[in-house]
Amino acid sequence: MAITATDWLITSDVAHEAAFRVDLPENDRGKWVLSYLPTNRRLTRDQAMTGMVLAEMIVLDYLHPVGLDQEVAHLHATELGLTLHDVMSLLAMRAPAESAEPDTPGEPADDRLRSASALVHGATLFAA
């Protein structure tokens, strides 16, 4: 578990999330945005770091279930002004969709799941 932080970006090698510093000439200049929160939610650098730590805790518990430290996770979520359930739901919506059955070689891929996943991630889908 490693979080890398610079003056402008905080990333994780476990959770595929990031925090970005806003430097637009506006009132929120110098505030931070977490990739799994709505972009209108502006945070302090400490809150952004807490959000990244919490995302790592949740992802690591999903990958290696040993029991999430609920008390610490709730404290981190509260610092973000959210419940732990809210954070877990937001991260789950951003997780890549996994097909129950892998595509069989030689058969066309079923794009319905990939399309839904793409839409959740903000891609635009056009029907022909």
Side-chain angles (χ1 to χ4, degrees):
M1 171 167 112
I3 292 177
T4 304
T6 68
D7 292 340
W8 297 92
L9 180 67
I10 303 171
T11 59
S12 162
D13 65 349
V14 175
H16 298 287
E17 303 297 339
F20 309 88
R21 191 173 110 186
V22 176
D23 200 36
L24 299 173
E26 59 181 32
N27 293 337
D28 288 331
R29 186 178 187 150
K31 296 284 188 171
W32 289 76
V33 176
L34 269 172
S35 58
Y36 64 89
L37 294 180
T39 57
N40 65 342
R41 296 278 319 261
R42 302 301 166 92
L43 308 168
T44 65
R45 187 176 197 287
D46 289 340
Q47 288 174 313
M49 183 64 80
T50 297
M52 291 300 296
V53 169
L54 181 55
E56 273 201 355
M57 288 174 63
I58 292 167
V59 170
L60 283 172
D61 185 59
Y62 174 75
L63 296 174
H64 310 286
V66 294
L68 180 66
D69 186 340
Q70 296 283 324
E71 191 172 325
V72 172
H74 281 287
L75 289 172
H76 286 329
T78 300
E79 186 175 336
L80 299 175
L82 300 166
T83 66
L84 180 56
H85 182 267
D86 291 338
V87 173
M88 293 175 94
S89 297
L90 289 165
L91 288 169
M93 286 191 306
R94 291 179 52 82
E98 294 182 21
S99 177
E101 298 177 21
D103 295 331
T104 306
E107 290 183 18
D110 183 357
D111 284 27
R112 288 176 295 164
L113 290 176
R114 289 187 187 93
S115 296
S117 177
L119 289 174
V120 167
H121 286 84
T124 304
L125 179 66
F126 293 97

